[in-house]
Amino acid sequence: MAQLTRHFNVVAVCDPDRERQEEAKERFDFSAYDDFAGLVADEAVELMVVANPSQLHCQDSIAAMRAGKHVIVEKPMAPTLDEVDEMIAASKETGQILTVNQNYRYASDFLRIKEIVESGVLGRIVLMRFTDHGFSRRWDWQTLKQYGGGILNNKGAHTIDWALLLVDDPEPEVMAHMETTPLYAGDAESHAKLIIRPKDGPMIDIEMTHTNAYPQESCLIMATQGSLSSNRELIRWKYFRLEDASPLVLDTQPSPDRSYNRENLPWIEESYQPYQNLSNDVQHLYQDLYATIRQGAPLAITAESVRRQIVVLEKCREQNGV
């Protein structure tokens, strides 16, 4: 029996590959099944991790919940909004927990950015820009539309999720541009640009691409009292306090020295070096899930909170004929 975290043990797995089944038995000494039905029927399984291809997430998650298992499903939660709603309905019907592996919500850089934004030191946020840049070629199943592949699902499930957690609008306006390039062997998109406009809140600019060999900062926030910049390894923010600056008074008279208005704002600059550890983020996710299952704590990552992300993903696909 292999220990996943301090609170969870892996008791069984499912994989159609016979060699991987044997490897699981030999290395970890737990049950291995070649079909999902066998895994679902295993009474030793209490929590099911649904980490198969995206197009199977809905049917397998529902089957697991109806068999009395709690479910944590890999991102993206499901390819369509209808499937997400079916999964949520099944969770309510069965009383089983349904959550999603949005482990990036625990990333130390995101948590610090969220804290700074919510503190109000930057003033009113005007624009939030998130990027996931890189240059690479891919030829696996995630380059195919039929399997829910493409950079929108693969990267957007994290980047869009971050952005939506900073605004309060279940169905914001979305404008999207997506492109399939020769960098992918399949027919799914390798480049996506989104503009998201909530009813109340800043404009959100999101760019995900495999076509940029000169990546830009992962997060840039522009606001009325300062700005924030992050490249995931270092967060910097610069701001001033209104009470420390001279009053801003309109003056239509000619300037005394025939120049433009100039002032030296009383800037405050701070920085923070995040601790990037994907394994640690996953540990936090499972610790919270344990607290929900065993101690009745509120679910940290609800399916409803992830549904907002799928709303945006679906609008992007509709606009681009996917």
Side-chain angles (χ1 to χ4, degrees):
M1 184 181 295
Q3 191 170 50
L4 177 65
T5 72
R6 185 162 59 91
H7 300 301
F8 291 90
N9 293 314
V10 179
V11 297
V13 297
C14 171
D15 197 304
D17 189 306
R18 187 57 58 88
E19 289 185 8
R20 292 184 178 183
Q21 292 175 38
E22 295 304 318
E23 179 186 359
K25 293 176 184 176
E26 292 173 11
R27 288 183 60 188
F28 304 110
D29 190 29
F30 48 59
S31 303
Y33 298 93
D34 59 7
D35 66 355
F36 192 75
L39 183 64
V40 168
D42 192 326
E43 294 183 357
V45 176
E46 183 179 1
L47 171 69
M48 186 83 74
V49 180
V50 177
N52 47 14
S54 306
Q55 76 274 13
L56 301 175
H57 286 182
C58 179
Q59 66 180 50
D60 289 352
S61 295
I62 291 175
M65 287 186 284
R66 288 182 175 159
K69 320 294 186 188
H70 300 305
V71 169
I72 176 169
V73 61
E74 186 51 67
K75 58 84 182 172
M77 186 176 173
T80 70
L81 191 59
D82 285 344
E83 289 175 301
V84 166
D85 288 339
E86 286 180 40
M87 294 162 71
I88 292 173
S91 174
K92 292 177 179 177
E93 169 197 325
T94 61
Q96 299 303 120
I97 292 168
L98 172 65
T99 188
V100 186
N101 185 26
Q102 297 287 168
N103 55 292
Y104 275 42
R105 292 190 185 187
Y106 294 86
S108 62
D109 57 331
F110 171 68
L111 292 176
R112 190 70 173 112
I113 290 168
K114 187 171 185 288
E115 179 183 310
I116 294 166
V117 168
E118 292 177 347
S119 74
V121 297
L122 298 178
R124 180 176 64 83
I125 308 301
V126 176
L127 176 73
M128 296 192 296
R129 186 168 191 261
F130 294 91
T131 67
D132 197 325
H133 285 173
F135 195 101
S136 62
R137 303 196 301 171
R138 291 191 69 164
W139 51 91
D140 54 61
W141 66 269
Q142 287 196 348
T143 67
L144 290 167
K145 292 178 185 178
Q146 70 184 91
Y147 297 135
I151 201 167
L152 184 70
N153 277 346
N154 195 29
K155 299 289 190 180
H158 290 312
T159 310
I160 295 170
D161 191 64
W162 274 7
L164 294 178
L165 289 171
L166 297 175
V167 298
D168 184 19
D169 187 348
E171 291 200 28
E173 294 180 23
V174 178
M175 182 178 70
H177 168 73
M178 294 154 55
E179 278 197 38
T180 301
T181 72
L183 293 174
Y184 273 15
D187 60 353
E189 78 286 342
S190 57
H191 177 90
K193 174 78 171 183
L194 285 69
I195 299 295
I196 301 174
R197 188 62 190 259
K199 293 181 179 65
D200 182 23
M203 180 177 289
I204 301 167
D205 179 342
I206 296 177
E207 200 169 79
M208 299 162 288
T209 187
H210 280 145
T211 65
N212 188 358
Y214 294 102
Q216 298 174 357
E217 62 264 274
S218 59
C219 177
L220 177 64
I221 295 177
M222 306 177 195
T224 57
Q225 289 172 229
S227 304
L228 177 148
S229 174
S230 170
N231 62 5
R232 303 220 64 195
E233 296 178 359
L234 179 67
I235 302 172
R236 298 177 300 151
W237 63 106
K238 180 177 178 179
Y239 61 96
F240 74 96
R241 297 189 178 97
L242 288 175
E243 61 269 24
D244 295 335
S246 302
L248 185 62
V249 180
L250 181 64
D251 184 356
T252 61
Q253 298 301 310
S255 57
D257 55 0
R258 299 183 180 180
S259 66
Y260 294 103
N261 296 145
R262 294 286 187 272
E263 68 174 330
N264 293 316
L265 288 169
W267 288 114
I268 300 170
E269 293 190 64
E270 299 187 55
S271 64
Y272 172 74
Q273 193 165 4
Y275 178 66
Q276 299 296 343
N277 188 322
L278 187 60
S279 176
N280 189 58
D281 300 343
V282 173
Q283 291 280 334
H284 281 303
L285 184 152
Y286 275 92
Q287 286 169 14
D288 280 351
L289 185 52
Y290 172 83
T292 299
I293 295 172
R294 287 286 184 264
Q295 300 165 355
L299 187 59
I301 301 176
T302 66
E304 287 80 7
S305 72
V306 180
R307 185 186 187 278
R308 299 173 62 202
Q309 171 202 131
I310 307 301
V311 168
V312 172
L313 294 177
E314 190 151 286
K315 286 182 178 181
C316 294
R317 287 190 287 267
E318 288 172 353
Q319 290 179 24
N320 289 269
V322 180

